[in-house]
Amino acid sequence: MAWAGLVAGTLPFSLTHGFIALGVMGAVWVLLYPRLLLDWASLALPAATLGLPQILYFLASSGTVKSIKFAPMWQEEPLSDPLSYFNFLGPQSLIFWPVTLGLFPIVGLLAFLFLCTNKHKFQWAAGFLAVWVVASFVQFQPWALDNIKILYVAHFGISCAIAALLERAFRSKRWWIRIPMSLIALAVFLLLILSGLLGNIREGQTHYQYFDQNDRDMAHWARQHTDKDDLFFAAPFHAHPIPCLAGRGLMMGYVGWLSSHGYNYGEREQDWKKIAAGESNAPELLEKYHISYAVVGWEEQYTHPPVNGNYFVDTFPSVFKNAKHQVFDVRDAKRVAMQKKRTEEARRREERMTEEKERMTEQIEEEEAEKKRIEEEEAEKKRIEEEE
C-alpha cells in the first residue's frame, strides 16, 4: 500500500481531479473497511506527504480555493435561501442525470442494487458512487463544468458495476430466460455506447487544421532566433503557434484556462489591451512585463480589441514576416519609443517653423501688396489732379 501511496502522491500535479476523487473514495473505504486501518494509513501517509505540498502550492498561486462551494448540479449562482437547496433536491434534480446521460444513471442505479447482494462488491462500488454524489453537489473550480473530470472516475466505477449486471444476464441456466435476458442486455449495452460511438464516428470525419505552413515557419524562426526564456506579446489564443510550436511564453495565456484555474489576471489583461491599442504608455508596459517580441498576425486581428498593427509597424523594427504573421523586436521598447517621440517632436518643430515661415512670407506679401496698392492710389490721385 505504501507504493500505491507514493503513486497517489504524484497526482495533484499530474491529475488533480483524480487526486480529489481518490480522496473521496478513500474516505468511504476507510469507513467501510475499518479492519484495514493500518493499510489505509500506509497509503495515506506517503500520499499526503507528497500531495499536500502540491495542493498548498496550487492554493497559494491561484484562487481555486475560493471557488469551492456547495452548488447542486453546478448552478451558476448560489441560492439566497438555504432552505431552497432542499427544494432543489426535488423532481428537477431527479431528472437531471437521466436527461443528461440517458439510460446510464438508471442502469447504474440498478447495477448498484444488484451489487447489494454481494457485500464486498458493493463496498468497492460505494466509493465510486460517493465520488458521483460529491461531484454533483460540490463545485471545485471556478468553471463548474470542470467537475466532469472528477465524474470520469465515478463513470469508470459505475461502468464496471453495469458490466457486472449485464454479464449476469448471460449466465442464467434456463435457456428460455437466458436468451431474452441476453438480448435485453445486448440492447442496453448498445444504447449505452451509442452516443460515444456516434461521437467517435463524427470526430473521425471532422477535419480542422490548427497550424499551417505560415505558422510552422514563424515557430521555426522563433526557435532559431530567440532565447527559450523570451516572452512574446501575442493573442491569448489556446492554439497560438508561438507557445504550441515554438515553446515560447506569452505575456498572457488563454483566458479560459486562467479563469478556470482561478488566477487573478485582471490587471494583466487590462495592460495587454493597452499595449494592443498602442496607447502612450505601451512601451512602459512592454518593459514592465519584460516582453522581447510582439506578434501581429491572423490571431491578433480577432482579439478584443484587435491589436493595432500600425502602431507596431510605425514604432518597432520588424524581424520576421510572412503571409500570415509579422514579428517585431520590442526589447528596446522604451528607447525606440523615446526615439520615435523625439523624431515626432522634431517633425512637429519643423512643421511649426515651416508654418511660421509661410505665415511671415504671407504677411510680407500682404504688406508689399498693401504698399503697392497705396502707391497706385497716390499715383492715380496725382494723375487726376494734374488733369484738372
Side-chain angles (χ1 to χ4, degrees), residues 16-56:
T16 308
H17 299 87
F19 188 79
I20 297 173
L22 183 61
V24 174
M25 291 189 294
V28 172
W29 288 336
V30 167
L31 294 176
L32 295 178
Y33 295 95
R35 295 180 180 179
L36 301 177
L37 188 60
L38 292 178
D39 292 326
W40 293 125
S42 66
L43 185 149
L45 183 60
T49 302
L50 292 178
L52 284 180
Q54 301 174 55
I55 295 295
L56 293 176

Side-chain angles (χ1 to χ4, degrees), residues 26-90:
V28 172
W29 288 336
V30 167
L31 294 176
L32 295 178
Y33 295 95
R35 295 180 180 179
L36 301 177
L37 188 60
L38 292 178
D39 292 326
W40 293 125
S42 66
L43 185 149
L45 183 60
T49 302
L50 292 178
L52 284 180
Q54 301 174 55
I55 295 295
L56 293 176
Y57 172 79
F58 280 141
L59 298 181
S61 60
S62 69
T64 303
V65 65
K66 299 178 182 178
S67 64
I68 300 177
K69 60 183 179 180
F70 182 65
M73 306 308 172
W74 319 321
Q75 54 193 345
E76 292 295 332
E77 298 295 335
L79 300 177
S80 56
D81 182 8
L83 295 178
S84 299
Y85 284 117
F86 296 98
N87 297 332
F88 190 83
L89 303 179

Side-chain angles (χ1 to χ4, degrees), residues 32-216:
L32 295 178
Y33 295 95
R35 295 180 180 179
L36 301 177
L37 188 60
L38 292 178
D39 292 326
W40 293 125
S42 66
L43 185 149
L45 183 60
T49 302
L50 292 178
L52 284 180
Q54 301 174 55
I55 295 295
L56 293 176
Y57 172 79
F58 280 141
L59 298 181
S61 60
S62 69
T64 303
V65 65
K66 299 178 182 178
S67 64
I68 300 177
K69 60 183 179 180
F70 182 65
M73 306 308 172
W74 319 321
Q75 54 193 345
E76 292 295 332
E77 298 295 335
L79 300 177
S80 56
D81 182 8
L83 295 178
S84 299
Y85 284 117
F86 296 98
N87 297 332
F88 190 83
L89 303 179
Q92 56 182 331
S93 63
L94 294 178
I95 66 173
F96 178 83
W97 286 120
V99 170
T100 306
L101 297 179
L103 283 178
F104 182 81
I106 300 174
V107 180
L109 180 61
L110 294 176
F112 275 106
L113 294 177
F114 165 72
L115 292 180
C116 287
T117 59
N118 187 304
K119 178 181 177 181
H120 294 294
K121 289 183 178 179
F122 177 77
Q123 289 174 331
W124 172 85
F128 293 97
L129 180 60
V131 172
W132 191 282
V133 173
V134 170
S136 298
F137 290 92
V138 179
Q139 180 179 326
F140 288 93
Q141 286 190 262
W143 191 41
L145 295 185
D146 267 340
N147 270 31
I148 292 175
K149 299 171 184 176
I150 302 176
L151 290 174
Y152 288 152
V153 179
H155 192 280
F156 168 77
I158 296 174
S159 297
C160 292
I162 292 175
L165 174 64
L166 297 181
E167 187 268 342
R168 182 67 179 83
F170 291 89
R171 290 195 299 166
S172 177
K173 295 182 179 179
R174 297 177 176 82
W175 65 268
W176 61 85
I177 296 178
R178 184 174 65 252
I179 292 177
M181 290 300 294
S182 298
L183 293 175
I184 294 175
L186 182 61
V188 171
F189 172 75
L190 293 176
L191 288 174
L192 289 174
I193 68 170
L194 182 60
S195 60
L197 180 62
L198 293 175
N200 282 307
I201 292 175
R202 178 186 177 277
E203 290 299 318
Q205 298 175 348
T206 301
H207 301 283
Y208 179 81
Q209 184 179 21
Y210 268 88
F211 306 108
D212 59 19
Q213 188 59 46
N214 290 309
D215 299 325
R216 292 191 289 271

Side-chain angles (χ1 to χ4, degrees), residues 187-378:
V188 171
F189 172 75
L190 293 176
L191 288 174
L192 289 174
I193 68 170
L194 182 60
S195 60
L197 180 62
L198 293 175
N200 282 307
I201 292 175
R202 178 186 177 277
E203 290 299 318
Q205 298 175 348
T206 301
H207 301 283
Y208 179 81
Q209 184 179 21
Y210 268 88
F211 306 108
D212 59 19
Q213 188 59 46
N214 290 309
D215 299 325
R216 292 191 289 271
D217 289 343
M218 180 177 66
H220 177 74
W221 176 89
R223 290 194 302 270
Q224 296 295 321
H225 296 87
T226 66
D227 188 78
K228 61 182 179 64
D229 295 324
D230 285 337
L231 280 182
F232 280 69
F233 173 84
F237 183 49
H238 71 280
H240 198 285
I242 288 297
C244 294
L245 299 182
R248 301 297 186 261
L250 299 182
M251 173 187 169
M252 185 176 70
Y254 178 50
V255 173
W257 292 335
L258 295 174
S259 174
S260 65
H261 284 80
Y263 288 101
N264 183 11
Y265 60 94
E267 179 182 357
R268 184 173 291 249
E269 183 181 32
Q270 293 304 314
D271 290 343
W272 188 96
K273 292 180 178 180
K274 292 177 182 178
I275 297 174
E279 295 187 6
S280 58
N281 62 338
E284 286 76 12
L285 294 175
L286 290 169
E287 291 280 343
K288 173 185 175 181
Y289 292 101
H290 307 289
I291 308 301
S292 298
Y293 299 93
V295 179
V296 177
W298 179 85
E299 291 86 356
E300 285 70 31
Q301 300 308 310
Y302 288 90
T303 58
H304 182 72
V307 173
N308 182 1
N310 292 331
Y311 167 73
F312 290 94
V313 171
D314 296 339
T315 309
F316 302 105
S318 175
V319 291
F320 174 85
K321 184 177 182 180
N322 62 17
K324 190 176 179 181
H325 305 285
Q326 189 169 4
V327 181
F328 299 90
D329 187 343
V330 298
R331 286 174 292 184
D332 294 330
K334 188 175 291 186
R335 180 186 62 79
V336 172
M338 290 299 297
Q339 182 179 356
K340 181 186 177 184
K341 184 177 180 181
R342 287 193 295 268
T343 303
E344 184 66 19
E345 289 177 351
R347 184 184 64 81
R348 290 178 180 177
R349 285 196 301 270
E350 185 177 352
E351 288 179 352
R352 286 196 298 269
M353 291 177 63
T354 302
E355 290 176 357
E356 182 66 19
K357 184 177 180 180
E358 292 176 351
R359 188 184 64 80
M360 293 180 63
T361 302
E362 289 178 358
Q363 184 177 356
I364 292 173
E365 291 177 351
E366 289 177 357
E367 291 177 353
E368 291 179 350
E370 181 66 17
K371 183 178 179 181
K372 184 178 180 181
R373 184 185 64 79
I374 294 174
E375 290 177 351
E376 290 177 350
E377 288 181 353
E378 290 179 352

